[in-house]
Amino acid sequence: MKYTIGIDLGGTNIVAGLADEQYRLLDKAAVKTQPEKGFDYITDNMARLVDTLLQRAKLTPADVGSIGIGSPGTPDKETGSIIFSNNLNWHDVPLAAAVRQKTGIRTWVANDADCAALGEFVAGAAAENTSMALITIGTGVGSGIVMDGKLFCPAGSSAPELGHTTLICGGESCTCGRNGCAEAYISFTALIRDGNRAADAHPDSMLAKLRREGQALNGKNIFDCGKAGDPVAKELMDRFIEYMGQFLANVANSFGVRAIVVGGGISKEGDWLCRRLSEIVVREMFVGEKFAPVIRMAALGNDVGVIGAAALEQYR
Ligand SMILES: [Zn+2]
């Protein structure tokens, strides 16, 4: 059996996992990232994690087919370098080459959002589909796409950045400098912004009451107030879901994916939200239901990036 190793490089932790041929995780090891200590320190730690996994499984580098790394920032697909990462303060660093040299194992690099999509594709919520998109709703809006069994990551590009496509022309300002991006409407940051505005405008709402009790608004408590029937919160929640549904229909119309997986904190809302989003997508799809993708919540939790990275050589 050939094993693979996936490495999820985050701003806080580096997590490495040993996977079998079905991309099931057999073991994991982690270390603090400490990005301020620089590129060599981080790649030394990656090699050490790989060594730990091999020793614990009584394997040698020859038993491992490949290493995949999911990194923040923009990778160069051909060379395996990271062209730019804001989070790690990296400019054109040879990530794949360094890890390959330190471990003796073939190494590939992709963006962390792409690895997450691949994880849900090989072992998660979209495992029986040939094309899928993962949309992660959190502070921002992340996106990754698998098309006909291959990760969609065009050379010389940071695409897909679906969160920075326009949902409302001339709308709210976005962190990227544009106006009206999807991220400015369907991220938790956007929901909290609108929740605070609504609480200011409606002092009798549950949202304003929460704030008076000293609770900061967040995605979950705004949704909870909406589900509990507070009319101000419900209007916000309904509009947020409508925007999300419209956005997912745009994704489906653009890429023809058969499944869209929703990840991030909002995925905890579960089936009722999937049904609402599906109704909107079916209503908004070109040619309607026939081509509408299934909408699912993410299945893999925190391991998704490691699992996707482990599958990178096969699906890149
Ligand atoms: Zn934007």
Side-chain angles (χ1 to χ4, degrees):
M1 158 141 107
K2 268 290 187 203
Y3 299 86
T4 57
I5 287 177
I7 300 178
D8 183 13
L9 171 58
T12 310
N13 294 304
I14 306 171
V15 184
L18 179 71
D20 67 12
E21 284 168 340
Q22 280 76 49
Y23 303 112
R24 287 178 297 225
L25 279 187
L26 307 173
D27 190 14
K28 280 194 296 182
V31 66
K32 292 275 174 239
T33 309
Q34 298 183 274
E36 69 283 359
K37 294 196 175 170
F39 178 71
D40 287 336
Y41 178 85
I42 287 176
T43 49
D44 281 347
N45 269 338
M46 286 180 174
R48 216 165 285 137
L49 288 175
V50 168
D51 197 45
T52 302
L53 291 172
L54 293 181
Q55 279 189 22
R56 293 206 298 232
K58 300 189 167 47
L59 299 173
T60 70
D63 297 315
V64 177
S66 65
I67 295 172
I69 304 173
S71 170
T74 308
D76 181 325
K77 181 181 172 178
E78 303 307 318
T79 64
S81 296
I82 299 296
I83 297 167
F84 174 68
S85 169
N86 194 22
N87 296 3
L88 300 169
N89 195 22
W90 281 356
H91 299 269
D92 212 10
V93 294
L95 181 57
V99 172
R100 183 179 202 149
Q101 191 251 322
K102 288 174 189 187
T103 60
I105 301 170
R106 275 197 311 278
T107 302
W108 309 97
V109 170
N111 176 268
D112 45 11
D114 290 338
C115 284
L118 201 46
E120 291 291 344
F121 176 74
V122 297
E128 78 286 15
N129 295 95
T130 53
S131 296
M132 59 83 73
L134 173 69
I135 303 297
T136 306
I137 307 287
T139 310
V141 174
S143 53
I145 293 173
V146 178
M147 295 249 287
D148 295 333
K150 288 283 172 203
L151 198 54
F152 172 77
C153 72
S157 159
S158 67
E161 289 288 358
L162 302 179
H164 300 289
T165 56
T166 305
L167 200 57
I168 307 287
C169 206
E172 299 280 352
S173 61
C174 182
T175 52
C176 74
R178 296 183 79 189
N179 288 88
C181 288
E183 184 166 299
Y185 289 89
I186 62 167
S187 62
F188 279 156
T189 311
L191 183 61
I192 293 163
R193 174 200 65 213
D194 291 348
N196 281 313
R197 284 180 189 164
D200 291 341
H202 302 279
D204 52 344
S205 67
M206 278 172 79
L207 300 177
K209 185 163 172 285
L210 277 181
R211 282 200 322 198
R212 281 197 299 276
E213 289 165 356
Q215 289 191 55
L217 297 184
N218 57 45
K220 183 171 187 312
N221 61 22
I222 294 172
F223 261 59
D224 285 347
C225 289
K227 287 188 281 185
D230 177 69
V232 172
K234 185 169 184 312
E235 192 185 325
L236 267 187
M237 182 179 83
D238 287 346
R239 196 173 62 199
F240 187 86
I241 294 169
E242 177 65 23
Y243 284 148
M244 258 190 89
Q246 293 279 351
F247 173 73
L248 298 186
N250 288 347
V251 172
N253 274 334
S254 301
F255 297 98
V257 290
R258 302 306 299 147
I260 299 181
V261 179
V262 176
I266 205 162
S267 60
K268 293 193 183 73
E269 294 292 334
D271 287 346
W272 75 271
L273 183 56
C274 272
R275 278 196 301 275
R276 292 268 309 261
L277 293 169
S278 287
E279 284 165 18
I280 301 168
V281 170
V282 167
R283 187 188 78 209
E284 297 295 325
M285 278 301 288
F286 188 69
V287 206
E289 193 158 12
K290 182 170 162 49
F291 295 115
V294 295
I295 311 292
R296 299 237 172 83
M297 293 304 178
L300 294 183
N302 289 337
D303 290 336
V304 67
V306 176
I307 294 170
L312 198 51
E313 181 171 76
Q314 187 179 348
Y315 293 99
R316 61 185 209 89

